[in-house]
Amino acid sequence: MQGKIWAILGNFVSIAGILGAEVTDGLWNGKPWEQEALSEGVEKSDPAALAEWAYCTREGWGGLKYDEGKIFRFAERAAEGGSLLGDAILGRCYLQSDGVEKDENRALELARKSAEGGHPLGFNGIGHIHFSGQAGLPRNLEKGIEMWDKAIEGGCVISRENRFLFGYHKLGSDEVIKETVTVLRDFQ
């Protein structure tokens, strides 16, 4: 049954992409915004810029000062404005209680919304939840790795790190070496 649900989700994501669900480049896929464009977008309350700012700040990129309350508020505004990246980041805030009370179910709901809309960071969030056994789901390492692989296919850089750091124990030593080489090559 669960396999059928994921197959349906995969079809939905494909259809969403065809219908024009917007997934903009950003730090999540190794293509961060220029600082000036990011600042201008935030000033104009552009949902894509707010989401990019929240993600960059969470990751400590670009000299942005970490402020979990501001990250939450910017991610929330981005999500309200229709940003799929905003949904994924907001879900992460709920999962880790960054600027908001922890709510694993809300985190899963937002990660799914982002993934269903076609954003790879949504799959990354679902992977974390499965891998950790949160939001009432049993810990499922295979499902976590499967979701990270979907995110990697969509270009999500952090998912490659997650896949390597948390998924290595599922592989044999030769596979760990191959995965390490792949990760290092992709980050050069």
Side-chain angles (χ1 to χ4, degrees), residues 22-44:
E22 187 173 351
V23 176
T24 58
D25 283 334
L27 184 63
W28 69 270
N29 69 346
K31 300 173 185 174
W33 291 33
E34 295 292 329
Q35 288 285 3
E36 186 176 324
L38 182 60
S39 295
E40 287 174 9
V42 168
E43 285 177 27
K44 295 176 183 174

Side-chain angles (χ1 to χ4, degrees), residues 15 17 35 47 50 56 58 63 67 69 76 85 105 108 114 116 122 124 129 132 134 139 156 171 176 180-181 183-184:
I15 292 168
Q35 288 285 3
L50 293 168
C56 289
R58 278 188 53 79
D67 178 339
E76 185 175 49
L85 177 59
N105 293 321
L108 179 58
S114 178
E116 288 169 358
N124 182 69
I129 291 168
S132 304
Q134 296 173 303
R139 187 167 192 224
C156 186
L171 305 171
V176 170
T180 303
V181 169
V183 169
L184 293 174

Side-chain angles (χ1 to χ4, degrees), residues 132-145:
S132 304
Q134 296 173 303
L137 299 176
R139 187 167 192 224
N140 186 329
L141 306 179
E142 289 81 12
K143 183 56 79 174
I145 291 169

